Amino acid sequence: MSKFVLDSNAQAVTLSEQDLRNSVQTINVNASEIAKQVTVRIITKFGSGSGVIIKRYGQTYLALTNHHVVADNPKNGYQVMTVDGKLYSARDRTQVKIATLDLALVEFTSQQNYQVVELQKLPKILEGEKVYAAGFPAWNFIREGNKITRFEETRNWGIRAFHLTTGKIEMQLAKTLPGGYQVGYTNDVRQGMSGGPLLNQKGELIAINGLLKYPFQGIKAFTDGSVPNQQIYAKIDSLSWAIPITKVIDFMETQNLVEQNLHNY
């Protein structure tokens, strides 16, 4: 049995099952608990999203999120909610905005000790790898069977809104979707979980959530203007999508963060 990725012409190529087996390691940490500790909620004037703590300077913390999460209220700042339910005033810390990457930095100050996520040391993501997607859904849907009977906004739920889903890496793209998205996975990611972390079984950050399955606006083309064939498009449309760790590292380099002791990858 083989998994597939896409080459530069969006054609299927195989990844051996042996490579997949080699990627599975003994779980020596509780990845789900790490996800809970490092994931934050970012509350803006008109909505909310998620983020992940990537750096600490004394009493100042930096959280990585999606640009589209914080784009609605840059002048008045935001609020960040941490694992203990505390709310902090936060501000945009992005030094260099990159139009091709849906990433941003948010900064907040606290005397509390919060866990900082570890970056994946070997930035290689394999199809079939088990992953955890974390964040704070904006809505809670009440169902009776398969039917949604009502829904509730979670803006005032505090830490109760935290949500973690498990799944696996299903597809990687050689070409890039708008925003820098290249990693497709089976986890259900709800509105409000954008900007949250995608972690591997060791609790390391391997990507940033951002695109939901079956988006209303659709995915029309790659950033180079080429269009996937119907079969590939259907596969892309059915998955959640994240920005891979390689592009996250590229982004942090432009923000002068890698030189500041972010060499844990």
Side-chain angles (χ1 to χ4, degrees):
M1 179 179 179
S2 296
K3 305 293 180 181
F4 71 92
V5 295
L6 301 181
D7 67 12
S8 59
N9 294 314
Q11 301 296 317
V13 296
T14 60
L15 178 69
S16 73
E17 195 68 26
Q18 183 62 47
D19 285 340
L20 184 59
R21 285 196 297 269
N22 289 341
S23 74
V24 178
Q25 302 180 28
T26 301
I27 300 174
N28 55 14
V29 295
N30 189 333
S32 61
E33 181 60 26
I34 291 174
K36 185 176 181 181
Q37 294 295 323
V38 301
T39 305
V40 296
R41 188 172 202 178
I42 299 174
I43 301 171
T44 70
K45 183 177 181 180
F46 300 109
S48 66
S50 302
V52 57
I53 299 174
I54 62 165
K55 183 64 180 174
R56 178 181 181 178
Y57 307 96
Q59 296 179 351
T60 300
Y61 291 88
L62 279 178
L64 184 65
T65 187
N66 290 139
H67 172 71
H68 77 256
V69 168
V70 296
D72 70 354
N73 200 38
K75 292 183 179 179
N76 296 325
Y78 325 97
Q79 284 186 308
V80 166
M81 186 184 70
T82 48
V83 62
D84 51 8
K86 294 182 182 295
L87 287 171
Y88 298 97
S89 296
R91 53 203 169 277
D92 190 343
R93 174 66 162 73
T94 311
Q95 296 183 28
V96 181
K97 298 186 186 301
I98 303 176
T100 57
L101 287 179
D102 185 18
L103 294 173
L105 290 169
V106 168
E107 180 181 87
F108 68 98
T109 300
S110 173
Q111 296 182 359
Q112 302 296 316
N113 292 320
Y114 295 117
Q115 188 166 340
V116 175
V117 76
E118 289 191 15
L119 307 186
Q120 186 181 30
K121 295 176 177 62
L122 297 173
K124 183 179 182 182
I125 303 171
L126 298 177
E127 275 73 13
E129 181 178 3
K130 184 176 182 179
V131 289
Y132 303 83
F136 292 86
W139 304 93
N140 178 52
F141 296 97
I142 309 300
R143 299 176 182 268
E144 291 183 5
N146 293 326
K147 183 179 180 181
I148 297 175
T149 57
R150 62 189 178 91
F151 56 92
E152 305 169 289
E153 188 176 12
T154 67
R155 190 177 181 90
N156 298 318
W157 277 30
I159 201 65
R160 285 195 303 124
F162 177 79
H163 189 63
L164 180 75
T165 65
T166 60
K168 65 178 182 178
I169 301 296
E170 188 75 16
M171 182 184 253
Q172 294 183 78
L173 299 173
K175 294 187 176 184
T176 306
L177 298 172
Y181 294 95
Q182 288 182 288
V183 179
Y185 49 109
T186 61
N187 306 55
D188 287 324
V189 177
R190 305 178 190 173
Q191 180 185 353
M193 293 176 69
S194 291
L198 188 69
L199 305 177
N200 63 16
Q201 292 186 73
K202 295 192 290 182
E204 297 170 331
L205 181 69
I206 66 171
I208 295 293
N209 300 319
L211 285 182
L212 283 60
K213 298 177 182 178
Y214 302 108
F216 292 123
Q217 70 274 22
I219 298 172
K220 297 180 176 60
F222 298 112
T223 52
D224 66 359
S226 63
V227 179
N229 63 44
Q230 186 174 0
Q231 180 181 4
I232 296 300
Y233 176 85
K235 185 72 172 179
I236 290 173
D237 206 38
S238 69
L239 297 173
S240 301
W241 287 89
I243 302 170
I245 186 65
T246 51
K247 291 190 179 298
V248 169
I249 292 171
D250 288 345
F251 174 78
M252 292 193 302
E253 286 178 341
T254 67
Q255 312 303 312
N256 297 318
L257 290 177
V258 171
E259 291 79 8
Q260 299 176 26
N261 300 320
L262 270 175
H263 293 285
N264 58 340
Y265 58 90

